């Protein structure tokens, strides 16, 4: 036995292990409660259609100008798709989420939706009918087409649809069922 671990004469040595274990357990429980807020009480499950996208317009949709990302984020490019749209046509939510912006930017109506999967769609030019903060599901009306995408696209009125994952623009057309990249899966 080490000399420092012996009790002094006239004192009793208290066991410290249960106290230390209790303090460590309490500290760990508090740390987990702060680090994982949903661990104690799981929140609602995301909607089943959180990752399902549809065209933001009615009909089959026709791309007038495809996604053409720049080689570097600061260079010129086309960070979305321009879709053929009827004048005053209905613009719909491409996927479930919350309208995060509905207003005018540089003289053009813009509606942005923060989707349940974390992506953000921006649609223009749109005359919005829903305010920011409105919860939508795929296909809900957001407003109407209010002009031509980017001031005029050959082929008539158009709706510009851009999608970002964080700060990176992705091809909206590839998010649509049956239009994304082909993925080969192994045989069972």
């Amino acid at each position: 036995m080490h000399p420092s671990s012996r009790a002094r004469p006239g004192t009793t040595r208290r066991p410290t292990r249960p106290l230390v274990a209790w303090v460590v357990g309490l500290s760990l429980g508090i740390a987990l409660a702060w680090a994982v807020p949903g661990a104690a009480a799981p929140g609602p499950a995301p909607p089943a259609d959180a990752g399902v996208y549809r065209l933001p317009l009615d009909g089959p949709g026709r791309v007038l100008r495809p996604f053409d990302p720049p080689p570097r984020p600061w260079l010129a490019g086309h960070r979305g798709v321009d879709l053929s749209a009827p004048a005053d046509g209905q613009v719909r939510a491409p996927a479930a989420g919350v309208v995060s912006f509905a207003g005018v930017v540089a003289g053009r109506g813009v509606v942005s939706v923060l989707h349940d999967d974390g992506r953000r769609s921006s649609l223009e030019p749109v005359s919005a009918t829903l305010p920011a903060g409105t919860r939508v599901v795929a296909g809900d009306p957001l407003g109407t087409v209010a002009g031509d995408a980017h001031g005029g696209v050959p082929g008539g009125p158009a709706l510009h649809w851009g999608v970002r994952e964080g700060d990176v623009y992705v091809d909206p057309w590839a998010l649509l069922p049956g239009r994304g990249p082909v993925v080969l899966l192994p045989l069972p």
Side-chain angles (χ1 to χ4, degrees), residues 167-183:
D167 291 334
V168 178
Y169 283 89
V170 297
D171 184 358
W173 197 252
L175 298 175
L176 299 173
R179 300 218 168 96
V182 174
V183 178

Side-chain angles (χ1 to χ4, degrees), residues 25 27 50 110 132 150 172:
S27 299
V110 176
H150 305 297

Side-chain angles (χ1 to χ4, degrees), residues 55-57 62-68 78-84 122-124 149-150 153 158-163 169-174 176:
L55 278 174
L57 297 166
R62 184 170 60 102
V63 175
L64 297 176
R65 185 172 174 201
F67 181 68
D68 185 21
H78 192 237
R79 294 166 174 86
V81 294
D82 291 343
L83 302 168
S84 176
S122 291
L123 303 144
E124 65 169 287
H150 305 297
V153 175
L159 176 73
H160 177 81
W161 177 27
V163 177
Y169 283 89
V170 297
D171 184 358
W173 197 252
L176 299 173

